[in-house]
Short mmCIF file of all heavy atoms in Angstrom, two decimals:
data_model
loop_
_atom_site.label_atom_id
_atom_site.label_comp_id
_atom_site.label_asym_id
_atom_site.label_seq_id
_atom_site.Cartn_x
_atom_site.Cartn_y
_atom_site.Cartn_z
N ASN F 4 5.46 27.56 -113.43
CA ASN F 4 6.55 27.11 -114.30
C ASN F 4 7.45 28.31 -114.57
O ASN F 4 7.10 29.21 -115.32
CB ASN F 4 5.99 26.53 -115.60
CG ASN F 4 7.04 25.78 -116.38
OD1 ASN F 4 8.14 25.54 -115.90
ND2 ASN F 4 6.72 25.40 -117.61
N THR F 5 8.61 28.31 -113.96
CA THR F 5 9.44 29.51 -113.86
C THR F 5 10.45 29.65 -114.98
O THR F 5 10.83 28.69 -115.63
CB THR F 5 10.21 29.51 -112.53
OG1 THR F 5 11.05 28.34 -112.49
CG2 THR F 5 9.27 29.50 -111.35
N CYS F 6 10.92 30.88 -115.14
CA CYS F 6 12.03 31.19 -116.04
C CYS F 6 13.19 31.68 -115.19
O CYS F 6 13.00 32.50 -114.28
CB CYS F 6 11.61 32.27 -117.04
SG CYS F 6 12.93 32.77 -118.18
N GLY F 7 14.40 31.20 -115.48
CA GLY F 7 15.57 31.64 -114.73
C GLY F 7 16.67 32.14 -115.62
O GLY F 7 17.85 32.06 -115.29
N PHE F 8 16.30 32.68 -116.78
CA PHE F 8 17.27 33.00 -117.82
C PHE F 8 18.02 34.29 -117.53
O PHE F 8 19.24 34.34 -117.57
CB PHE F 8 16.55 33.07 -119.16
CG PHE F 8 17.47 33.31 -120.34
CD1 PHE F 8 18.65 32.61 -120.46
CD2 PHE F 8 17.15 34.24 -121.30
CE1 PHE F 8 19.51 32.82 -121.53
CE2 PHE F 8 17.99 34.47 -122.39
CZ PHE F 8 19.17 33.76 -122.50
N ILE F 9 17.31 35.38 -117.26
CA ILE F 9 17.94 36.66 -116.96
C ILE F 9 17.32 37.24 -115.70
O ILE F 9 16.28 36.76 -115.23
CB ILE F 9 17.81 37.67 -118.13
CG1 ILE F 9 16.34 37.93 -118.47
CG2 ILE F 9 18.57 37.16 -119.36
CD1 ILE F 9 16.14 38.99 -119.53
N ASP F 10 17.93 38.29 -115.17
CA ASP F 10 17.49 38.83 -113.88
C ASP F 10 16.02 39.22 -113.86
O ASP F 10 15.30 38.92 -112.90
CB ASP F 10 18.34 40.05 -113.51
CG ASP F 10 19.67 39.65 -112.87
OD1 ASP F 10 19.78 38.49 -112.44
OD2 ASP F 10 20.58 40.50 -112.82
N ASP F 11 15.55 39.92 -114.90
CA ASP F 11 14.16 40.35 -114.93
C ASP F 11 13.21 39.16 -114.88
O ASP F 11 12.17 39.20 -114.19
CB ASP F 11 13.87 41.19 -116.18
CG ASP F 11 14.47 42.58 -116.10
OD1 ASP F 11 14.91 42.97 -114.99
OD2 ASP F 11 14.51 43.29 -117.13
N ALA F 12 13.56 38.09 -115.61
CA ALA F 12 12.71 36.90 -115.62
C ALA F 12 12.73 36.21 -114.26
O ALA F 12 11.69 35.73 -113.78
CB ALA F 12 13.18 35.94 -116.71
N LYS F 13 13.91 36.16 -113.64
CA LYS F 13 14.00 35.54 -112.31
C LYS F 13 13.19 36.33 -111.30
O LYS F 13 12.48 35.75 -110.46
CB LYS F 13 15.47 35.46 -111.87
CG LYS F 13 16.25 34.37 -112.58
CD LYS F 13 17.64 34.22 -112.02
CE LYS F 13 18.58 35.29 -112.50
NZ LYS F 13 19.99 35.05 -112.12
N LYS F 14 13.28 37.65 -111.38
CA LYS F 14 12.52 38.50 -110.44
C LYS F 14 11.02 38.28 -110.62
O LYS F 14 10.26 38.17 -109.62
CB LYS F 14 12.87 39.97 -110.65
CG LYS F 14 12.18 40.90 -109.66
CD LYS F 14 12.58 42.35 -109.89
CE LYS F 14 11.97 43.25 -108.83
NZ LYS F 14 10.50 43.14 -108.74
N GLU F 15 10.57 38.21 -111.87
CA GLU F 15 9.15 37.96 -112.11
C GLU F 15 8.73 36.62 -111.52
O GLU F 15 7.67 36.52 -110.88
CB GLU F 15 8.86 37.99 -113.62
CG GLU F 15 7.39 37.77 -113.95
CD GLU F 15 7.12 37.65 -115.44
OE1 GLU F 15 8.07 37.36 -116.20
OE2 GLU F 15 5.95 37.81 -115.84
N SER F 16 9.54 35.60 -111.71
CA SER F 16 9.23 34.28 -111.17
C SER F 16 9.15 34.31 -109.65
O SER F 16 8.21 33.79 -109.05
CB SER F 16 10.28 33.26 -111.62
OG SER F 16 10.25 33.05 -113.02
N ILE F 17 10.16 34.94 -109.02
CA ILE F 17 10.19 35.01 -107.55
C ILE F 17 8.98 35.78 -107.02
O ILE F 17 8.35 35.38 -106.02
CB ILE F 17 11.50 35.68 -107.07
CG1 ILE F 17 12.71 34.81 -107.40
CG2 ILE F 17 11.43 35.98 -105.58
CD1 ILE F 17 12.85 33.57 -106.58
N ASP F 18 8.63 36.89 -107.68
CA ASP F 18 7.48 37.68 -107.24
C ASP F 18 6.20 36.84 -107.24
O ASP F 18 5.40 36.90 -106.30
CB ASP F 18 7.30 38.91 -108.14
CG ASP F 18 8.36 39.98 -107.89
OD1 ASP F 18 9.06 39.89 -106.87
OD2 ASP F 18 8.47 40.90 -108.73
N HIS F 19 6.01 36.05 -108.30
CA HIS F 19 4.81 35.20 -108.37
C HIS F 19 4.85 34.10 -107.32
O HIS F 19 3.83 33.78 -106.69
CB HIS F 19 4.67 34.59 -109.77
CG HIS F 19 4.14 35.54 -110.80
ND1 HIS F 19 2.83 36.02 -110.78
CD2 HIS F 19 4.72 36.11 -111.88
CE1 HIS F 19 2.65 36.83 -111.80
NE2 HIS F 19 3.78 36.91 -112.48
N ILE F 20 6.03 33.52 -107.10
CA ILE F 20 6.14 32.47 -106.08
C ILE F 20 5.81 33.03 -104.70
O ILE F 20 5.05 32.42 -103.92
CB ILE F 20 7.57 31.88 -106.07
CG1 ILE F 20 7.83 31.11 -107.37
CG2 ILE F 20 7.75 30.92 -104.88
CD1 ILE F 20 9.28 30.71 -107.57
N LEU F 21 6.34 34.21 -104.39
CA LEU F 21 6.07 34.81 -103.07
C LEU F 21 4.60 35.16 -102.91
O LEU F 21 4.02 35.01 -101.82
CB LEU F 21 6.94 36.06 -102.89
CG LEU F 21 8.45 35.81 -102.76
CD1 LEU F 21 9.21 37.13 -102.73
CD2 LEU F 21 8.75 34.98 -101.51
N GLU F 22 3.98 35.61 -104.00
CA GLU F 22 2.56 35.94 -103.95
C GLU F 22 1.72 34.70 -103.63
O GLU F 22 0.83 34.74 -102.78
CB GLU F 22 2.14 36.52 -105.31
CG GLU F 22 0.71 37.04 -105.37
CD GLU F 22 0.38 37.61 -106.73
OE1 GLU F 22 1.24 37.59 -107.64
OE2 GLU F 22 -0.75 38.07 -106.90
N VAL F 23 2.04 33.59 -104.29
CA VAL F 23 1.28 32.36 -104.04
C VAL F 23 1.68 31.74 -102.71
O VAL F 23 0.85 31.13 -102.02
CB VAL F 23 1.48 31.36 -105.21
CG1 VAL F 23 0.73 30.07 -104.94
CG2 VAL F 23 0.99 31.98 -106.52
N ALA F 24 2.95 31.91 -102.29
CA ALA F 24 3.38 31.39 -100.99
C ALA F 24 2.57 32.03 -99.86
O ALA F 24 2.28 31.37 -98.85
CB ALA F 24 4.87 31.67 -100.78
N LYS F 25 2.20 33.28 -100.03
CA LYS F 25 1.36 33.95 -99.03
C LYS F 25 0.00 33.27 -98.94
O LYS F 25 -0.53 33.04 -97.85
CB LYS F 25 1.20 35.43 -99.39
CG LYS F 25 0.50 36.26 -98.32
CD LYS F 25 0.38 37.72 -98.72
CE LYS F 25 1.73 38.39 -98.80
NZ LYS F 25 1.60 39.84 -99.09
N LEU F 26 -0.57 32.92 -100.11
CA LEU F 26 -1.84 32.19 -100.11
C LEU F 26 -1.69 30.83 -99.43
O LEU F 26 -2.58 30.38 -98.70
CB LEU F 26 -2.34 31.98 -101.55
CG LEU F 26 -2.63 33.22 -102.39
CD1 LEU F 26 -3.04 32.82 -103.81
CD2 LEU F 26 -3.71 34.08 -101.76
N ARG F 27 -0.54 30.20 -99.67
CA ARG F 27 -0.27 28.89 -99.05
C ARG F 27 -0.17 29.02 -97.54
O ARG F 27 -0.74 28.20 -96.79
CB ARG F 27 1.05 28.33 -99.63
CG ARG F 27 1.48 26.99 -99.02
CD ARG F 27 0.62 25.87 -99.51
NE ARG F 27 1.11 24.58 -99.02
CZ ARG F 27 0.70 24.01 -97.89
NH1 ARG F 27 -0.18 24.60 -97.11
NH2 ARG F 27 1.19 22.83 -97.53
#
């Protein structure tokens, strides 16, 4: 469940998505 409010929050969300995408 992502946050897209500011750059730092977006980067954190993208980092977690990419980490789990690798598992996928």
Side-chain angles (χ1 to χ4, degrees):
N4 193 9
T5 60
C6 178
F8 184 45
I9 59 175
D10 278 343
D11 286 348
K13 285 186 283 188
K14 183 179 184 305
E15 181 186 19
S16 294
I17 294 288
D18 287 346
H19 282 292
I20 293 169
L21 292 174
E22 186 179 1
V23 178
K25 188 179 294 184
L26 299 177
R27 177 73 175 91

